Amino acid sequence: MRKLIIDLITAARPNYMKIAPVYHALCKESWCEARVVHTGQHYDPNMFDIFFRDLGLPPPDVSLGVGSGTHAEQTAGVMLAYEHHCLATRPDWIVVVGDVNATLSCALVGAKLGIPVAHLEAGLRSYDRHMPEEINRVLTDAMADILWTHSSDADENLRAEGIPADRIECVGNVMIDAFEMLRAKIESDDTRAGLALDETRYAVLTLHRPSNVDVPKVLKSIVRSLLDMSTRMPIVFPVHPRTKARLTTTGLWDELSAHPSIRLLEPLSYIQFMNLVTGAAAVVTDSGGIQEETTYLGIPCLTLRDNTERPITVTQGSNRLVSPDTLPTALARLSERTRPPPPALWDGHTAERVVANLKARSYMRGMLHD
Ligand code: UD1
């Protein structure tokens, strides 16, 4: 019997941790063949190669080579390149993850070519259409044939948009699979020790959202707040390329790098970054995935955003939304680590449920026969 070809789409850093557990679970199956497609959105070695290496992913089977650009350039560039690839070697399923531009591009290509699309991490909503990711989420979910969600509140969001229940499957949080897959390596990594942080209470910071870094006034107010915060606790800051560029053009880079309590680093690998996070007293971030990882680990997380598409990390987790003004006070009032039970199905077995569901749905569609 011919094996079904499953295209796994990766584009940017947060995608790799979601694709890797699914890739490894698919490789154990005899009915299908996983094909890793990298669109090229993140291309620096420390935003791409080291993640593939850490997560045990092979070099991509397909590299579309679509790098940075405006939203239209990225979205359309990936559509053109991926459609070309699908017409040459048609996959049986397209699996997209998260909410980056390529998630939308590849879902749209699949929908137009009649290739079924599955969206992992469906149903997240910030209800803020200023975020490019929110537009990508809503449109991808409107088109996908399978919507794999990570919590029941995501199911409710989808049902409220009129999406039929039979397309929705709650499978849990695949990021937790990635963490558990690499837990031993994360725990034995020496990044924390190398920075002489083992005995220190410190905060880890990440920052890259356009709404925080692209407007100089906002970026300056965040930097003022960080300088205030660093008097209470040293800050370790692996800097995203977008943020580095903005800090440099606003002249803030020199001020931050001269500060004795702020350590600026290049972007870290997944293992190095999680080694730092697991030892931190707090995390300050505007990332989506880190809100979930800290919830799972019970580490206090202060999210520099007005809203979150992951409210479960606030209601059931260790996350709090803060502004540049409230950040220093929130840090001063930080509670100690607690580890309440993680949300349902955040258990390290999501990829297995994804693969079982994909197989069952392939039978239902007549793509597989006994
Ligand atoms: C993208 C995603 C965002 C995700 C983030 C994680 C969209 C709309 N946004 O945002 O959801 O949270 O990735 O990092 O898809 N750059 C480099 N080297 C790289 C990659 C980017 O220098 O390897 C530079 C680009 O040239 C650009 C900037 O960083 O100037 C931003 O990159 P881009 O991929 O456009 O968006 P992100 O901010 O990374």
PDB file of all heavy atoms in Angstrom, residues 71 130-133 207-216 218-219 242-243 246 286:
ATOM      1  N   HIS A  71       4.611  41.632   5.322  1.00  0.00           N
ATOM      2  CA  HIS A  71       3.675  40.516   5.514  1.00  0.00           C
ATOM      3  C   HIS A  71       3.197  39.967   4.178  1.00  0.00           C
ATOM      4  O   HIS A  71       3.120  38.757   3.983  1.00  0.00           O
ATOM      5  CB  HIS A  71       2.502  40.953   6.397  1.00  0.00           C
ATOM      6  CG  HIS A  71       2.912  41.016   7.829  1.00  0.00           C
ATOM      7  ND1 HIS A  71       2.803  39.945   8.678  1.00  0.00           N
ATOM      8  CD2 HIS A  71       3.488  41.996   8.539  1.00  0.00           C
ATOM      9  CE1 HIS A  71       3.275  40.280   9.866  1.00  0.00           C
ATOM     10  NE2 HIS A  71       3.711  41.514   9.802  1.00  0.00           N
ATOM     11  N   HIS A 130      -5.033  43.684  15.843  1.00  0.00           N
ATOM     12  CA  HIS A 130      -3.797  44.404  15.513  1.00  0.00           C
ATOM     13  C   HIS A 130      -2.625  43.445  15.437  1.00  0.00           C
ATOM     14  O   HIS A 130      -1.577  43.781  14.899  1.00  0.00           O
ATOM     15  CB  HIS A 130      -3.493  45.477  16.576  1.00  0.00           C
ATOM     16  CG  HIS A 130      -4.519  46.561  16.608  1.00  0.00           C
ATOM     17  ND1 HIS A 130      -5.471  46.646  17.582  1.00  0.00           N
ATOM     18  CD2 HIS A 130      -4.746  47.582  15.753  1.00  0.00           C
ATOM     19  CE1 HIS A 130      -6.248  47.691  17.329  1.00  0.00           C
ATOM     20  NE2 HIS A 130      -5.821  48.268  16.224  1.00  0.00           N
ATOM     21  N   MET A 131      -2.789  42.257  16.024  1.00  0.00           N
ATOM     22  CA  MET A 131      -1.696  41.288  16.000  1.00  0.00           C
ATOM     23  C   MET A 131      -1.734  40.523  14.684  1.00  0.00           C
ATOM     24  O   MET A 131      -2.766  39.900  14.377  1.00  0.00           O
ATOM     25  CB  MET A 131      -1.874  40.234  17.106  1.00  0.00           C
ATOM     26  CG  MET A 131      -1.552  40.681  18.493  1.00  0.00           C
ATOM     27  SD  MET A 131      -1.810  39.278  19.616  1.00  0.00           S
ATOM     28  CE  MET A 131      -0.269  38.386  19.408  1.00  0.00           C
ATOM     29  N   PRO A 132      -0.634  40.513  13.939  1.00  0.00           N
ATOM     30  CA  PRO A 132      -0.670  39.743  12.691  1.00  0.00           C
ATOM     31  C   PRO A 132      -1.003  38.275  12.946  1.00  0.00           C
ATOM     32  O   PRO A 132      -1.693  37.634  12.156  1.00  0.00           O
ATOM     33  CB  PRO A 132       0.742  39.891  12.110  1.00  0.00           C
ATOM     34  CG  PRO A 132       1.582  40.514  13.182  1.00  0.00           C
ATOM     35  CD  PRO A 132       0.657  41.184  14.144  1.00  0.00           C
ATOM     36  N   GLU A 133      -0.559  37.763  14.094  1.00  0.00           N
ATOM     37  CA  GLU A 133      -0.790  36.341  14.398  1.00  0.00           C
ATOM     38  C   GLU A 133      -2.282  36.040  14.564  1.00  0.00           C
ATOM     39  O   GLU A 133      -2.726  34.946  14.249  1.00  0.00           O
ATOM     40  CB  GLU A 133      -0.054  35.938  15.682  1.00  0.00           C
ATOM     41  CG  GLU A 133       1.460  35.949  15.576  1.00  0.00           C
ATOM     42  CD  GLU A 133       2.075  37.320  15.797  1.00  0.00           C
ATOM     43  OE1 GLU A 133       1.322  38.301  15.993  1.00  0.00           O
ATOM     44  OE2 GLU A 133       3.318  37.427  15.768  1.00  0.00           O
ATOM     45  N   LEU A 207      11.693  39.362  24.268  1.00  0.00           N
ATOM     46  CA  LEU A 207      10.905  40.494  23.755  1.00  0.00           C
ATOM     47  C   LEU A 207      11.035  40.512  22.234  1.00  0.00           C
ATOM     48  O   LEU A 207      12.150  40.563  21.722  1.00  0.00           O
ATOM     49  CB  LEU A 207      11.551  41.762  24.335  1.00  0.00           C
ATOM     50  CG  LEU A 207      10.762  43.042  24.438  1.00  0.00           C
ATOM     51  CD1 LEU A 207       9.548  42.858  25.344  1.00  0.00           C
ATOM     52  CD2 LEU A 207      11.664  44.142  24.996  1.00  0.00           C
ATOM     53  N   HIS A 208       9.931  40.446  21.526  1.00  0.00           N
ATOM     54  CA  HIS A 208      10.052  40.569  20.066  1.00  0.00           C
ATOM     55  C   HIS A 208       8.785  41.061  19.377  1.00  0.00           C
ATOM     56  O   HIS A 208       8.798  41.314  18.176  1.00  0.00           O
ATOM     57  CB  HIS A 208      10.458  39.226  19.442  1.00  0.00           C
ATOM     58  CG  HIS A 208       9.330  38.250  19.380  1.00  0.00           C
ATOM     59  ND1 HIS A 208       8.968  37.486  20.456  1.00  0.00           N
ATOM     60  CD2 HIS A 208       8.474  37.927  18.384  1.00  0.00           C
ATOM     61  CE1 HIS A 208       7.939  36.739  20.131  1.00  0.00           C
ATOM     62  NE2 HIS A 208       7.611  36.988  18.884  1.00  0.00           N
ATOM     63  N   ARG A 209       7.663  41.164  20.090  1.00  0.00           N
ATOM     64  CA  ARG A 209       6.402  41.534  19.418  1.00  0.00           C
ATOM     65  C   ARG A 209       6.530  42.908  18.779  1.00  0.00           C
ATOM     66  O   ARG A 209       7.009  43.863  19.435  1.00  0.00           O
ATOM     67  CB  ARG A 209       5.243  41.637  20.415  1.00  0.00           C
ATOM     68  CG  ARG A 209       4.867  40.352  21.001  1.00  0.00           C
ATOM     69  CD  ARG A 209       3.563  39.787  20.453  1.00  0.00           C
ATOM     70  NE  ARG A 209       3.643  38.375  20.713  1.00  0.00           N
ATOM     71  CZ  ARG A 209       3.675  37.415  19.799  1.00  0.00           C
ATOM     72  NH1 ARG A 209       3.536  37.705  18.536  1.00  0.00           N
ATOM     73  NH2 ARG A 209       3.810  36.171  20.144  1.00  0.00           N
ATOM     74  N   PRO A 210       6.066  43.051  17.538  1.00  0.00           N
ATOM     75  CA  PRO A 210       6.097  44.364  16.893  1.00  0.00           C
ATOM     76  C   PRO A 210       5.480  45.449  17.780  1.00  0.00           C
ATOM     77  O   PRO A 210       6.005  46.562  17.865  1.00  0.00           O
ATOM     78  CB  PRO A 210       5.263  44.153  15.622  1.00  0.00           C
ATOM     79  CG  PRO A 210       5.389  42.684  15.320  1.00  0.00           C
ATOM     80  CD  PRO A 210       5.553  41.997  16.652  1.00  0.00           C
ATOM     81  N   SER A 211       4.390  45.125  18.487  1.00  0.00           N
ATOM     82  CA  SER A 211       3.719  46.157  19.301  1.00  0.00           C
ATOM     83  C   SER A 211       4.625  46.644  20.442  1.00  0.00           C
ATOM     84  O   SER A 211       4.447  47.748  20.939  1.00  0.00           O
ATOM     85  CB  SER A 211       2.412  45.615  19.881  1.00  0.00           C
ATOM     86  OG  SER A 211       2.684  44.445  20.631  1.00  0.00           O
ATOM     87  N   ASN A 212       5.584  45.845  20.859  1.00  0.00           N
ATOM     88  CA  ASN A 212       6.494  46.267  21.925  1.00  0.00           C
ATOM     89  C   ASN A 212       7.795  46.864  21.401  1.00  0.00           C
ATOM     90  O   ASN A 212       8.364  47.743  22.039  1.00  0.00           O
ATOM     91  CB  ASN A 212       6.851  45.071  22.822  1.00  0.00           C
ATOM     92  CG  ASN A 212       5.780  44.804  23.864  1.00  0.00           C
ATOM     93  OD1 ASN A 212       5.043  45.695  24.253  1.00  0.00           O
ATOM     94  ND2 ASN A 212       5.692  43.565  24.317  1.00  0.00           N
ATOM     95  N   VAL A 213       8.289  46.350  20.273  1.00  0.00           N
ATOM     96  CA  VAL A 213       9.641  46.766  19.877  1.00  0.00           C
ATOM     97  C   VAL A 213       9.683  47.720  18.684  1.00  0.00           C
ATOM     98  O   VAL A 213      10.693  48.394  18.483  1.00  0.00           O
ATOM     99  CB  VAL A 213      10.578  45.544  19.621  1.00  0.00           C
ATOM    100  CG1 VAL A 213      10.622  44.644  20.838  1.00  0.00           C
ATOM    101  CG2 VAL A 213      10.211  44.781  18.374  1.00  0.00           C
ATOM    102  N   ASP A 214       8.610  47.790  17.898  1.00  0.00           N
ATOM    103  CA  ASP A 214       8.681  48.599  16.673  1.00  0.00           C
ATOM    104  C   ASP A 214       8.378  50.086  16.900  1.00  0.00           C
ATOM    105  O   ASP A 214       8.702  50.912  16.052  1.00  0.00           O
ATOM    106  CB  ASP A 214       7.730  48.043  15.600  1.00  0.00           C
ATOM    107  CG  ASP A 214       8.283  46.768  14.967  1.00  0.00           C
ATOM    108  OD1 ASP A 214       9.367  46.325  15.387  1.00  0.00           O
ATOM    109  OD2 ASP A 214       7.630  46.211  14.050  1.00  0.00           O
ATOM    110  N   VAL A 215       7.723  50.422  18.014  1.00  0.00           N
ATOM    111  CA  VAL A 215       7.405  51.837  18.282  1.00  0.00           C
ATOM    112  C   VAL A 215       8.426  52.360  19.302  1.00  0.00           C
ATOM    113  O   VAL A 215       8.438  51.913  20.451  1.00  0.00           O
ATOM    114  CB  VAL A 215       5.969  51.963  18.855  1.00  0.00           C
ATOM    115  CG1 VAL A 215       5.596  53.430  19.053  1.00  0.00           C
ATOM    116  CG2 VAL A 215       4.965  51.245  17.976  1.00  0.00           C
ATOM    117  N   PRO A 216       9.315  53.280  18.888  1.00  0.00           N
ATOM    118  CA  PRO A 216      10.406  53.697  19.779  1.00  0.00           C
ATOM    119  C   PRO A 216       9.939  54.144  21.162  1.00  0.00           C
ATOM    120  O   PRO A 216      10.552  53.810  22.173  1.00  0.00           O
ATOM    121  CB  PRO A 216      11.076  54.843  19.010  1.00  0.00           C
ATOM    122  CG  PRO A 216      10.778  54.543  17.573  1.00  0.00           C
ATOM    123  CD  PRO A 216       9.430  53.886  17.549  1.00  0.00           C
ATOM    124  N   VAL A 218       7.344  53.149  22.897  1.00  0.00           N
ATOM    125  CA  VAL A 218       6.983  51.969  23.716  1.00  0.00           C
ATOM    126  C   VAL A 218       8.257  51.231  24.132  1.00  0.00           C
ATOM    127  O   VAL A 218       8.426  50.860  25.307  1.00  0.00           O
ATOM    128  CB  VAL A 218       6.042  51.021  22.915  1.00  0.00           C
ATOM    129  CG1 VAL A 218       5.731  49.762  23.717  1.00  0.00           C
ATOM    130  CG2 VAL A 218       4.760  51.743  22.518  1.00  0.00           C
ATOM    131  N   LEU A 219       9.161  51.054  23.180  1.00  0.00           N
ATOM    132  CA  LEU A 219      10.403  50.329  23.489  1.00  0.00           C
ATOM    133  C   LEU A 219      11.188  51.056  24.590  1.00  0.00           C
ATOM    134  O   LEU A 219      11.701  50.428  25.519  1.00  0.00           O
ATOM    135  CB  LEU A 219      11.243  50.187  22.213  1.00  0.00           C
ATOM    136  CG  LEU A 219      12.507  49.352  22.332  1.00  0.00           C
ATOM    137  CD1 LEU A 219      12.182  47.918  22.772  1.00  0.00           C
ATOM    138  CD2 LEU A 219      13.275  49.309  21.006  1.00  0.00           C
ATOM    139  N   ARG A 242      15.007  40.916  15.510  1.00  0.00           N
ATOM    140  CA  ARG A 242      14.161  42.104  15.307  1.00  0.00           C
ATOM    141  C   ARG A 242      14.399  43.122  16.429  1.00  0.00           C
ATOM    142  O   ARG A 242      14.557  44.317  16.183  1.00  0.00           O
ATOM    143  CB  ARG A 242      12.678  41.685  15.316  1.00  0.00           C
ATOM    144  CG  ARG A 242      11.712  42.856  15.362  1.00  0.00           C
ATOM    145  CD  ARG A 242      10.304  42.394  15.697  1.00  0.00           C
ATOM    146  NE  ARG A 242       9.623  41.761  14.586  1.00  0.00           N
ATOM    147  CZ  ARG A 242       8.936  42.412  13.629  1.00  0.00           C
ATOM    148  NH1 ARG A 242       8.859  43.718  13.652  1.00  0.00           N
ATOM    149  NH2 ARG A 242       8.326  41.765  12.667  1.00  0.00           N
ATOM    150  N   THR A 243      14.482  42.629  17.659  1.00  0.00           N
ATOM    151  CA  THR A 243      14.633  43.503  18.820  1.00  0.00           C
ATOM    152  C   THR A 243      16.025  44.139  18.833  1.00  0.00           C
ATOM    153  O   THR A 243      16.183  45.320  19.141  1.00  0.00           O
ATOM    154  CB  THR A 243      14.384  42.677  20.101  1.00  0.00           C
ATOM    155  OG1 THR A 243      13.159  41.966  19.921  1.00  0.00           O
ATOM    156  CG2 THR A 243      14.304  43.543  21.329  1.00  0.00           C
ATOM    157  N   ARG A 246      16.035  47.019  16.515  1.00  0.00           N
ATOM    158  CA  ARG A 246      15.299  48.196  17.023  1.00  0.00           C
ATOM    159  C   ARG A 246      16.060  48.862  18.175  1.00  0.00           C
ATOM    160  O   ARG A 246      16.077  50.078  18.297  1.00  0.00           O
ATOM    161  CB  ARG A 246      13.902  47.807  17.516  1.00  0.00           C
ATOM    162  CG  ARG A 246      13.021  47.135  16.483  1.00  0.00           C
ATOM    163  CD  ARG A 246      12.686  48.046  15.301  1.00  0.00           C
ATOM    164  NE  ARG A 246      11.770  47.373  14.386  1.00  0.00           N
ATOM    165  CZ  ARG A 246      12.138  46.630  13.346  1.00  0.00           C
ATOM    166  NH1 ARG A 246      13.424  46.484  13.051  1.00  0.00           N
ATOM    167  NH2 ARG A 246      11.240  46.045  12.583  1.00  0.00           N
ATOM    168  N   ASP A 286       7.035  38.529  25.978  1.00  0.00           N
ATOM    169  CA  ASP A 286       5.832  38.805  25.197  1.00  0.00           C
ATOM    170  C   ASP A 286       5.572  37.652  24.225  1.00  0.00           C
ATOM    171  O   ASP A 286       4.790  37.769  23.300  1.00  0.00           O
ATOM    172  CB  ASP A 286       5.925  40.165  24.470  1.00  0.00           C
ATOM    173  CG  ASP A 286       7.114  40.254  23.514  1.00  0.00           C
ATOM    174  OD1 ASP A 286       7.813  39.243  23.305  1.00  0.00           O
ATOM    175  OD2 ASP A 286       7.339  41.355  22.967  1.00  0.00           O
TER     176      ASP A 286
END
